[in-house]
Amino acid sequence: MARKDSDNQKKSMSAMFRGKAIFKPLNTGRIDEHVACVREWVANIFFYTKNGTTVMIDAGYNYARLAEKMQWLNIDPKTIRHILITHQDTDHVGALERDSELLFKDATVYIGEIENRYLTGEARRRVIHGLYKLPMVKTDNKKVLLRDGEVFEIDGIKIECILVPGHTWGHMVYLIDDRYLFTGDTIWFGADGGYSFIGTLAEDNKLSVRSLEKLEANIRARNRSIAVITGHTGWTDDLDFVFAHRTEICKPFLKRYTDPDAPYDGYEEEDDTESNARTVPLLKKTDRKNA
């Protein structure tokens, strides 16, 4: 997505969702010693660090303040050599766009082989029940194509790929070191638990629900604590909360799916500050709910 397209999307989406109490991203900061995130308007991108290597998860919008906010976390864009992409939507791959600042031009991009078809033009991303085609993202980064169930390592960091089609045809989630599940746009956390992601943005909502059912079975079978980290609505390790409404689809203009904890306008970022990024830990969604 070109910079002008990102800016236009910010204006239109802000007008559409202002006051709806629906978008509730984490502010820039750290979840723990391994996971940090940057807020870009209503979206989060994440960084996983271990053994001196930092892996980036998703690449956000074509966003002018990314390098600045990474500096708040003491992460140098030049050190990023590996980027995992959950899906190719414009708020998840924008920093790889040809007309971006090219902060990560030397990084290798890991993306599902099905999802890559959007980037090659073999498929075209559609939203609002197929009525609207999103702008195509064009990137020159080296790519590694991934398959469902594939497990690989980057400098001792274990990464497991789990295919969850529905929001997009090749959406992938990543379980890192058996402890952190980065879900992109698979799960939407409302005030009372997780739902299948926003219905108007899915390629196939019924498929999304089936994928979420399989994901729940996969994660619960591991019988261990796993942090579930979403692209727009925070994180928690309470799996009962995560999958509380997995058969239901988030409908953002109905009050039952809103969250009083959400900002009035998620596209305003005055509360995302360097001071807080450096000093305030990012609470679990379930902790914030009970705070």
Side-chain angles (χ1 to χ4, degrees):
M1 177 183 252
R3 176 65 57 81
K4 65 179 178 61
D5 293 323
S6 277
D7 290 341
N8 288 338
Q9 188 178 88
K10 174 194 173 184
K11 293 176 183 176
S12 61
M13 293 282 282
S14 174
M16 185 182 304
F17 288 102
R18 188 178 297 123
K20 303 302 182 185
I22 196 72
F23 284 104
K24 39 198 174 294
L26 294 167
N27 279 332
T28 301
R30 294 187 178 276
I31 290 175
D32 62 16
E33 70 275 17
H34 293 297
V35 181
C37 82
V38 163
R39 176 180 172 184
E40 298 185 342
W41 300 322
V42 299
N44 286 127
I45 61 176
F46 296 96
F47 303 90
Y48 182 85
T49 301
K50 191 178 79 170
N51 302 330
T53 294
T54 297
V55 174
M56 184 173 173
I57 300 96
D58 283 334
Y61 285 97
N62 193 333
Y63 179 76
R65 299 183 64 194
L66 179 52
E68 171 196 351
K69 291 189 177 183
M70 288 179 68
Q71 189 273 329
W72 296 356
L73 301 169
N74 298 322
I75 300 174
D76 184 346
K78 294 179 182 178
T79 66
I80 302 298
R81 290 291 180 266
H82 307 278
I83 303 176
L84 306 176
I85 297 297
T86 61
H87 64 296
Q88 69 84 59
D89 277 358
T90 47
D91 54 340
H92 291 259
V93 295
L96 305 177
E97 173 70 45
R98 286 174 182 166
D99 85 331
S100 71
E101 295 176 359
L102 299 179
L103 297 174
F104 314 106
K105 62 183 178 65
D106 298 322
T108 297
V109 171
Y110 301 78
I111 189 168
E113 61 180 357
I114 298 173
E115 195 69 10
N116 185 57
R117 294 172 188 168
Y118 290 113
L119 299 182
T120 63
E122 297 172 72
R124 189 66 184 271
R125 177 73 167 109
R126 295 175 182 270
V127 296
I128 312 178
H129 309 293
L131 298 176
Y132 180 72
K133 292 189 291 188
L134 293 182
M136 187 175 173
V137 172
K138 298 178 181 180
T139 177
D140 297 316
N141 287 74
K142 175 185 174 182
K143 290 183 287 187
V144 173
L145 303 187
L146 305 172
R147 296 182 178 181
D148 184 27
E150 185 170 348
V151 179
F152 64 100
E153 287 194 1
I154 297 174
D155 295 341
I157 298 172
K158 178 184 175 183
I159 300 166
E160 181 175 348
C161 311
I162 305 171
L163 182 66
V164 286
H167 180 71
T168 62
W169 296 124
H171 194 300
M172 195 79 77
V173 301
Y174 299 101
L175 180 62
I176 296 185
D177 282 338
D178 299 311
R179 292 181 56 200
Y180 302 90
L181 182 68
F182 294 90
T183 65
D185 288 2
T186 301
I187 301 171
W188 184 271
F189 287 162
D192 58 351
Y195 295 80
S196 183
F197 200 80
I198 296 177
T200 53
L201 302 180
E203 297 277 15
D204 186 327
N205 280 302
K206 291 182 179 179
L207 181 58
S208 293
V209 170
R210 292 198 299 271
S211 292
L212 197 51
E213 179 182 12
K214 291 179 181 178
L215 181 63
E216 179 182 16
N218 185 324
I219 296 304
R220 287 193 183 275
R222 297 169 190 265
N223 294 315
R224 65 174 301 157
S225 177
I226 293 175
V228 178
I229 303 169
T230 73
H232 297 272
T233 55
W235 74 283
T236 185
D237 56 7
D238 181 346
L239 295 185
D240 290 337
F241 181 88
V242 169
F243 297 109
H245 306 282
R246 63 158 177 76
T247 63
E248 299 180 56
I249 299 160
C250 175
K251 299 174 183 178
F253 300 107
L254 296 182
K255 188 173 182 180
R256 65 165 297 184
Y257 300 101
T258 63
D259 189 337
D261 191 39
Y264 177 78
D265 186 349
Y267 285 86
E268 299 297 329
E269 299 181 307
E270 286 81 0
D271 60 336
D272 194 30
T273 67
E274 180 175 4
S275 176
N276 286 341
R278 292 184 178 278
T279 61
V280 179
L282 298 173
L283 296 177
K284 303 174 189 177
K285 171 66 180 177
T286 41
D287 287 343
R288 292 165 63 210
K289 176 173 170 288
N290 296 321

